[in-house]
Amino acid sequence: MRHNKKFNHLGRTASHRAAMLSNMAVSLIMHKRITTTLAKAKALKKYVEPLITKSKEDTTNSRRVVFSYLQDKHAITELFTVISQKVADRPGGYTRIIKTGFRASDAAPMCFIELVDFDENMAKTAKKAKRTRRSSKKQGSTTEGEVKAAATEQPAPAAEVAEAPATEAAETAAPAEEAQE
């Protein structure tokens, strides 16, 4: 029976599990989003959220405690400078798990785990304009691309413009003369 066993061992020894979660936490802090299996993401969420809470208080002791878990100076610097500033007013729930489907090789449920305040896609409040099936181009209007293309074209020199009508007139006059003969 599995009474009073509160966390997922992930099929690893304690030292391997601690090293794996530490490495995944560093990757999450540095990249703000990682793709992994659902079980690992849930274990990582329980591992990294107390560390983010600890980073809100920037003291020597809290840095040492977090460093004992992560063992990466660059990740500690990122956590205590950038991330702690963004999550300062958030009372918890710093990560989000979004399921992405199943892995092709072994059908393991996959997901990505990300820091909530650093998601560019979800944070955008402006909605995209709704597209219709009809052409968005009107008959009499021009698009921005056409206006820019017309503005970037350089006008032809005056000598070429003056020669063009004379040449066209001569060419149209020649066939007319042949028709009269």
Side-chain angles (χ1 to χ4, degrees):
M1 285 185 238
R2 202 171 171 277
H3 295 301
N4 206 20
K5 298 187 186 222
K6 301 257 182 192
F7 63 94
N8 190 347
H9 295 280
L10 300 172
R12 289 161 172 80
T13 62
S15 59
H16 186 186
R17 186 172 52 253
M20 182 190 67
L21 289 173
S22 174
N23 289 333
M24 289 176 67
V26 168
S27 295
L28 180 64
I29 289 167
M30 297 305 286
H31 301 291
K32 312 300 188 264
R33 174 190 285 182
I34 58 172
T35 302
T36 183
T37 62
L38 187 60
K40 287 180 188 174
K42 288 179 179 179
L44 179 62
K45 186 171 188 162
K46 288 182 180 180
Y47 186 85
V48 79
E49 291 215 2
L51 300 179
I52 296 173
T53 302
K54 193 70 135 165
S55 74
K56 287 183 178 183
E57 183 182 351
D58 191 4
T59 63
T60 304
N61 185 52
S62 62
R63 281 183 177 261
R64 286 177 177 166
V65 168
V66 173
F67 185 77
S68 72
Y69 284 93
L70 297 183
Q71 298 291 319
D72 189 317
K73 290 180 187 178
H74 301 294
I76 299 294
T77 305
E78 180 82 8
L79 180 63
F80 278 88
T81 55
V82 178
I83 295 174
S84 66
Q85 298 300 321
K86 280 239 185 178
V87 299
D89 58 339
R90 186 178 288 276
Y94 311 111
T95 58
R96 172 190 300 131
I97 296 175
I98 298 176
K99 297 177 184 176
T100 58
F102 297 95
R103 187 161 50 198
S105 61
D106 61 352
M110 297 297 289
C111 66
F112 60 82
I113 182 169
E114 64 185 359
L115 296 174
V116 172
D117 293 318
F118 290 90
D119 183 25
E120 296 86 22
N121 298 332
M122 298 279 191
K124 290 181 182 173
T125 57
K127 293 183 179 177
K128 290 184 178 179
K130 198 171 190 180
R131 299 269 310 182
T132 62
R133 290 181 182 238
R134 294 183 186 165
S135 174
S136 61
K137 195 174 181 182
K138 302 285 186 204
Q139 290 291 338
S141 68
T142 59
T143 62
E144 290 180 30
E146 291 173 0
V147 172
K148 287 180 182 177
T152 58
E153 290 180 8
Q154 295 180 354
E160 292 178 20
V161 173
E163 291 177 4
T167 309
E168 290 176 15
E171 289 174 1
T172 56
E177 291 174 2
E178 292 175 9
Q180 290 177 354
E181 291 179 61

